[in-house]
Amino acid sequence: MKLASLRSGRDGALIVVSRDLETAVSASDIAPTMQVALDNWEDVVDRLQGLSDALNNDAAANVFPLDMTVLSAPLPRTFQYLDGACYLSHIRRNREARGESLPDDLLQAPMVYQGISHGFLGWNDPAPFPSEDIGIDFEGEIAAVTGDVPMGVSAEEATSYIRLFVLLNDYSLRGIIPRELKRTFGFLTGKPASSLGPIAVTPDELGDLWDGRLVGGKMKCDVRGKQVGHINTGIDTPFHYGHMIAHVAQTRRFEPGTIVGLGTVSNEDESAGCACIGEIRALETIRNGKPEFELLRFGDSVRIEHFDNAGRSVFGPIDQKIVSSRTKA
């Protein structure tokens, strides 16, 4: 099934969305918000699925046309956001451009950081930043949303705790990140609020796109109206969602609604393009000795959308304009 959140208060109002993203129906009598549904997943999932089936079979009551513009992030705030760097070509290109070697233990465990878990931007919200000079970049990803995950879960068991998948834009500030990492205490101000696509999708709804490990299909990325990436998301990584979840769950349990990203999607085939400007600039540096593609500036647009093998949008788009946080509305 496909779920979304209408803009309402801090946490949105849960709706069920049709498979073709054309219509929807309120789920408020089952769970008022996405987070409440995740907190009580075993108790509500059958009722939500029944409502989804009725909607897709033209048998639901109080159906309304889906207006994407009134959707917030599916989970505007949650208890934990974990993001990785799992696509090897992305890691390798960026490090080669900086003259750095790959970590010796690169294939032993995924690289993970914990980002901001509150304040996820909606798919069409303006993305505010204090300055153009901090190196604004986007990163296209598909993230899993988990239920309760016990401490010590194995990678093979971990994927059974995934409840939903969402489209993710993990903003990065290239002018801040290097000096933060140089202090060896990790990301903080270099990783601002991220944004989520409008539609959350259960694993079974993905059909053959979901192989139990990775989500396949093609992610298209546009910057300033120009396509820069058309990337196969289901290949070119030795790590899957189970590895990410199990790695972190060695020492903690997860609350429902934990968002887990594999990092910027990337293909070994350079003709697929890139899902972030940093990787575009890394390739330019490797080829030509210097980067040329400009990082994001105020007024620029970024669009990310993921498509199934028939060319249908899976999660809806992320389509945002970069704006100054200092400009009064």
Side-chain angles (χ1 to χ4, degrees), residues 280-282 284-286 288-294:
I280 296 172
R281 289 167 63 86
E284 289 174 336
T285 300
I286 293 166
N288 307 318
K290 63 178 182 179
E292 296 181 358
F293 200 100
E294 202 173 29

Side-chain angles (χ1 to χ4, degrees), residues 94-115:
N94 281 286
R95 295 204 173 212
E96 183 178 347
R98 297 195 301 264
E100 299 174 1
S101 60
L102 294 173
D104 292 337
D105 62 352
L106 179 63
L107 298 179
Q108 294 177 23
M111 295 190 291
V112 190
Y113 78 95
Q114 184 163 303

Side-chain angles (χ1 to χ4, degrees), residues 153-229:
V153 68
S154 70
E156 292 70 28
E157 298 168 328
T159 54
S160 68
Y161 295 97
I162 295 173
R163 302 291 179 249
L164 301 163
F165 286 101
V166 291
L167 190 65
L168 170 69
N169 181 358
D170 175 52
Y171 282 110
S172 294
L173 304 179
R174 305 299 182 192
I176 296 177
I177 287 173
R179 64 174 181 263
E180 284 196 318
L181 293 182
K182 190 174 181 179
R183 300 183 74 192
T184 69
F185 211 58
F187 297 117
L188 184 65
T189 57
K191 285 289 189 176
S194 298
S195 53
L196 299 178
I199 309 298
V201 182
T202 54
D204 62 292
E205 185 71 27
L206 292 172
D208 60 7
L209 291 184
W210 171 239
D211 65 2
R213 303 168 72 256
L214 298 168
V215 177
K218 291 291 183 72
M219 182 181 289
K220 293 184 181 180
C221 302
D222 294 355
V223 175
R224 297 184 278 266
K226 177 184 177 183
Q227 184 172 296
V228 298

Side-chain angles (χ1 to χ4, degrees), residues 38-40 42 146-150 161-163 253-257:
L38 289 161
D39 286 340
N40 301 280
E42 287 74 17
T146 76
D148 282 296
V149 178
Y161 295 97
I162 295 173
R163 302 291 179 249
R253 64 180 184 84
F254 291 15
E255 288 288 315

Side-chain angles (χ1 to χ4, degrees), residues 3-6 8 11-17 24-37 40 44 47-48 51-52 61-62 64:
L3 305 174
S5 296
L6 296 175
S8 177
D11 297 307
L14 183 64
I15 61 174
V16 174
V17 176
V25 63
S26 172
S28 61
D29 61 332
I30 301 174
T33 68
M34 187 86 71
Q35 184 61 54
V36 170
N40 301 280
V44 303
R47 294 173 64 195
L48 288 172
L51 186 58
S52 175
N62 302 315
F64 54 88

Side-chain angles (χ1 to χ4, degrees), residues 47-81:
R47 294 173 64 195
L48 288 172
Q49 186 62 61
L51 186 58
S52 175
D53 292 342
L55 177 62
N56 285 305
N57 291 317
D58 299 322
N62 302 315
V63 175
F64 54 88
L66 180 64
D67 178 1
M68 288 278 195
T69 65
V70 300
L71 299 183
S72 67
L75 280 168
R77 55 181 178 167
T78 188
F79 291 101
Q80 182 171 225
Y81 166 42

Side-chain angles (χ1 to χ4, degrees), residues 244-310:
M244 279 281 293
I245 294 167
H247 178 71
V248 180
Q250 292 178 89
T251 58
R252 69 178 76 174
R253 64 180 184 84
F254 291 15
E255 288 288 315
T258 295
I259 294 176
V260 182
L262 294 183
T264 309
V265 299
S266 180
N267 288 165
E268 295 290 345
D269 179 3
E270 293 183 11
S271 68
C274 301
C276 78
I277 296 175
E279 189 171 333
I280 296 172
R281 289 167 63 86
L283 285 169
E284 289 174 336
T285 300
I286 293 166
R287 294 169 185 156
N288 307 318
K290 63 178 182 179
E292 296 181 358
F293 200 100
E294 202 173 29
L295 290 163
L296 296 169
R297 306 188 72 81
F298 297 152
D300 285 351
S301 61
V302 174
R303 183 181 177 93
I304 305 168
E305 194 161 8
H306 189 71
F307 296 89
D308 66 16
N309 297 325

